[in-house]
Structure formats: structure tokens, C-alpha cells
Amino acid sequence: MVFLYSIALHLYGLLLQLVAPLVPKAAQWVEGRRGLLAHIQQALHAETAPIVWFHCASLGEFEQGRPVMEAYMARHPHHKLVLTFFSPSGYEIRKNWSGADYVFYLPLDTAENARLFLAAVKPRLAVFVKYEFWYHFLTELERRQVPTICVSAIFRPEQSFFRPWGGFFRRTLGRFTHIFTQNASSVELLRAVGLTRASVAGDTRFDTVVRTASVPPKPLPLIEAFTDDWSPVFIIGSSWPEDLPALTPLFRQYADHLRFVVAPHEINETNLRLVEEALPGKVVRFSRAHLATVAEARLLLIDNVGMLSQLYRFGHFAYVGGAFGKGLHNTLEAAAFGLPLFFGPTYHKFQEAQDLVDLGCAFPIKTADELLTAFGPLYHREEARLAVQDISLDYVHDHSGATGKIMSWLERDVVQP
């Protein structure tokens, strides 16, 4: 099975090289790994401080792991943090993050790459965030007796780890020193297949969003000017083109009553024009807006990356994109401000989304009519919206604290000052 796994990864790398001329993200993946190990070796050859290694698949996992990284470095300021990403979506946006001392792509998971990478990094602790169970890296970490944990993991019965033929994948998980899960059902699944080094800590994203909601906000004069009247504000976060058919009738029916702020997931001219076409003549792009005139528009289109988590504080309602496609984006950023949430039908893999639906704080929809039907009572009855706000805020605060549990375990069992 190890042989087949290695062959599959080599074929994956070859496929990305073949499609790189046509697919920009594949090109970034390939170019980012050109001469990568030599670059890592050169960057770290003179480093003498203790190193902790955090690995994230992409940007979402980075945000999930960020509170643990920051807590670790606050307690161990003389250590150095090496941060790796598998995907360009994470690396390109966070390659200059000041919280890490070194940021790299992760080399492809081969036995040789794992050996050379770990020989260069020499971590005293490795932390994998949520996913990314790379066999050769985990095997080499175990061989070197490096404590290795996974944080904010979540498992489902249909995954390969829990199938009769999943022995190889279970052995991969067995390389971890400890797995911290988001919920109790994940621990039960692991223990049912003999993986007992696991416990519930919760989802570290709750700690991130609670902190974001509680710290003094950065000044955003354009957003303040756009929302500075009595109109309720509807934030659409991480939208995809697939979300627009459900949103467009809402835009047009409530254009004179709401202000809309739309932050597409991917910022490109095609996506921006699709939003502009959904509410013709009443849209202004953030990059083209002016303080004196921005309020004349009814829809402010965010054409940059990195603002979304700060935008929800201006909202009264929120729609989170992605659930008409591959999967729902981050709902907790909006829930931390108590906003009633709307999203598409593909959300069941996300525990927090399911919880918010069960609590009556989030409303999954399949059509534009369903969105209008769900939105109407909350818009027309302020007491209904405020009731959702209270329940949502309680839920987010009650589920925070995962970072503290993980850090307590590390300080007790693994890391010495």
C-alpha cells in the first residue's frame, strides 16, 4: 500500500506540472516547489533556536491553527516557528505573516523529501491542523521521536480510516502522538478502530472569532461611510458565481431598503462583473469608491482580500457562500457578531453550521424563493433578529477555549520552557 500511495503522489505531482500552463493555481504549486528543499536548507542552516513546525493545508486551516501558533509563541518567545502550506491559496496570502519566522510550501510527501525536510527543520514539536495526514512525513516524525499532534480534527464514518480496507490510513493516523478533535463523535470513531490517543478540545476557530469580535476594530472609513444611515446591512461573504442566482432576487427586491456588502471568494474581473450585473447601476467597487459618494450606491463590492472578518461587525444579516458548490465557507466569523446566517444546501460536513441550523440561527436554502421566505420574518421583526443574535453569541462563546486545552496538554506533557 505504501508503494501505491507513493506512486499516486508522484502521478499527482506530474499531473500538476502538465496542467500548470493552463491552470494558474497549479502553476503556483509547481513553481513554489522548484528548488524548495535547497531553499529550506539554506534558510535554516544557521538556525540554533528550538523550532516548532505547524502545517496547514490552506488558508482556512491557517486561521484554524493561528490561535494555537500565537499562544505557543507567546509562551515560548525564544522558539522559532516554521509554517508550511500545501496549497497556494494559503501560502500566497500568508507567506509574509509576521507571526512565523519561516514560511514554506510543504514538499511533496515522499520518503526522501520527508527525511531531508525534517533534517533541515529539526522541529521539537510538529502540529498538523485539521487535515493533511501525510504518511511519509508522519512516519519520519515518529522515527525521529518528534511529538506530533493534530488540532481541530473532525472525522466522519464514511472516511477511509473507518472502512474495512482502511488499515493503511489508520496506521498513518496512528503516527500522531495525540489528536485533538472538534467533537466527541470523532473521538468515538477513532477509539472504535483502536486509535486511543485522542481527546476533545473543540474547534480553535471559535477562539479566533471571539478575539476578532472583542478587540477594537481597525478604522475602515469607506465601510463606515457606506453604512452610516438607518438601513440594515446585509454582508455576503466568500460568494461564488453559483451563489448569485439565489442572491440576485434579494438584491433587487430590497435594493431600496438594505445596504449590501459583497466580498467574493475569488477576486477576478469575471466574478466582479457578475455581481455588478446582479444590481445594475447601484454597485461601487471598494477600490473605486470615495468617502463623499460611496453612500450613493446600494451595494459595495469588495475587490481585495483580507477584510471579510472585519466586515461582519457592520452587518445585521449575513450570507456565507460556497454551499452551492464544493462546500460552505467560514460561518463562525459572522456568528461571532450574532448575525442571522443564510447559506446554500451543502453544509452538513461542518459541525458549527449544523449546530447553528439546529439552534435556529442559520437558514440553509436551495432557491431564491427560499432565501426570500427565510429572510422576510427576520427583516420585518426586529425582536426575531435580536433573539437569533443572543443565541448565536452564546453559542460561539460557549464553544471557545480549545486553544487553552491544547496548550495545557502541551505544557504538561510535551514542551519544556
Side-chain angles (χ1 to χ4, degrees):
M1 189 63 185
V2 176
F3 175 75
L4 293 176
Y5 171 84
S6 299
I7 290 296
L9 278 182
H10 279 292
L11 291 175
Y12 177 78
L14 178 61
L15 176 63
L16 288 178
Q17 292 183 49
L18 292 174
V19 302
L22 303 174
V23 182
K25 188 172 286 188
Q28 289 178 320
W29 192 97
V30 171
E31 184 59 31
R33 286 166 172 80
R34 202 180 307 278
L36 176 59
L37 281 167
H39 169 60
I40 294 172
Q41 290 165 344
Q42 181 179 11
L44 292 169
H45 80 280
E47 184 59 73
T48 58
I51 287 177
V52 57
W53 168 36
F54 277 78
H55 175 67
C56 307
S58 191
L59 187 60
E61 289 74 24
F62 167 81
E63 295 300 338
Q64 209 149 24
R66 181 172 181 166
V68 184
M69 296 182 224
E70 292 177 340
Y72 183 95
M73 294 308 295
R75 297 191 191 186
H76 303 281
H78 62 291
H79 291 193
K80 300 292 186 180
L81 193 155
V82 169
L83 172 63
T84 59
F85 290 97
F86 182 79
S87 167
S89 299
Y91 176 82
E92 293 299 329
I93 293 175
R94 292 301 183 186
K95 60 186 176 183
N96 296 316
W97 181 51
S98 61
D101 299 281
Y102 305 94
V103 183
F104 306 117
Y105 276 105
L106 183 74
L108 195 65
D109 184 35
T110 69
E112 181 69 0
N113 284 350
R115 184 184 66 79
L116 292 173
F117 175 86
L118 290 171
V121 176
K122 301 181 181 67
R124 67 160 51 188
L125 170 69
V127 182
F128 286 58
V129 181
K130 191 175 181 179
Y131 296 130
E132 296 286 279
F133 307 124
W134 298 116
Y135 173 83
H136 292 295
F137 280 102
L138 290 170
T139 299
E140 185 66 14
L141 284 164
E142 184 182 53
R143 189 186 72 79
R144 292 170 177 265
Q145 299 183 321
V146 177
T148 303
I149 67 171
C150 184
V151 301
S152 291
I154 190 164
F155 298 98
R156 300 178 300 278
E158 64 271 19
Q159 290 176 303
S160 55
F161 312 108
F162 313 111
R163 299 298 183 92
W165 42 265
F168 169 78
F169 302 101
R170 289 191 287 275
R171 288 194 299 276
T172 301
L173 286 185
R175 303 294 199 258
F176 282 105
T177 308
H178 200 85
I179 298 173
F180 292 97
T181 71
Q182 294 185 29
N183 54 28
S185 61
S186 293
V187 172
E188 292 169 4
L189 283 169
L190 293 170
R191 290 179 178 172
V193 294
L195 298 170
T196 59
R197 297 194 300 272
S199 60
V200 180
D203 188 342
T204 51
R205 287 181 302 163
F206 285 92
D207 301 328
T208 297
V209 299
V210 166
R211 184 180 61 185
T212 299
S214 63
V215 300
K218 298 177 181 178
L220 294 172
L222 268 176
I223 307 297
E224 293 165 9
F226 178 71
T227 59
D228 189 22
D229 64 8
W230 294 102
S231 298
V233 179
F234 201 124
I235 309 292
I236 292 91
S238 300
S239 64
W240 289 81
E242 292 83 355
D243 295 297
L244 288 178
L247 289 167
T248 298
L250 182 78
F251 290 158
R252 294 178 178 174
Q253 182 168 327
Y254 287 92
D256 294 330
H257 307 286
L258 295 173
R259 290 192 177 276
F260 295 96
V261 179
V262 180
H265 180 69
E266 292 189 348
I267 307 299
N268 57 56
E269 190 62 24
T270 298
N271 286 350
L272 295 174
R273 287 186 177 179
L274 285 173
V275 177
E276 289 171 332
E277 292 167 3
L279 195 58
K282 297 186 177 182
V283 180
V284 62
R285 297 189 188 187
F286 184 88
S287 63
R288 300 174 183 173
H290 301 282
L291 278 174
T293 58
V294 66
E296 296 174 6
R298 300 305 297 183
L299 190 156
L300 181 60
L301 180 54
I302 308 301
D303 52 356
N304 60 52
V305 175
M307 288 180 60
L308 181 56
S309 63
Q310 292 294 324
L311 295 178
Y312 288 117
R313 71 173 65 250
F314 296 93
H316 297 81
F317 309 92
Y319 178 96
V320 178
F324 277 100
K326 294 183 179 180
L328 182 63
H329 291 292
N330 191 339
T331 56
L332 288 178
E333 289 178 336
F337 291 97
L339 307 190
L341 293 173
F342 306 89
F343 43 73
T346 309
Y347 68 93
H348 296 88
K349 291 182 179 180
F350 301 89
Q351 182 68 50
E352 69 282 1
Q354 184 65 64
D355 290 344
L356 290 165
V357 170
D358 292 343
L359 289 168
C361 299
F363 306 88
I365 56 99
K366 296 179 182 178
T367 66
D369 286 341
E370 288 186 7
L371 177 56
L372 290 169
T373 299
F375 175 71
L378 293 164
Y379 171 73
H380 291 290
R381 294 178 59 241
E382 179 70 357
E383 67 273 18
R385 185 185 70 84
L386 292 176
V388 168
Q389 175 179 286
D390 291 342
I391 296 170
S392 182
L393 291 174
D394 286 345
Y395 169 76
V396 171
H397 284 271
D398 288 347
H399 285 76
S400 63
T403 301
K405 294 175 183 177
I406 294 165
M407 290 303 303
S408 293
W409 185 90
L410 286 174
E411 298 295 331
R412 183 183 67 246
D413 294 344
V414 176
V415 182
Q416 300 301 315

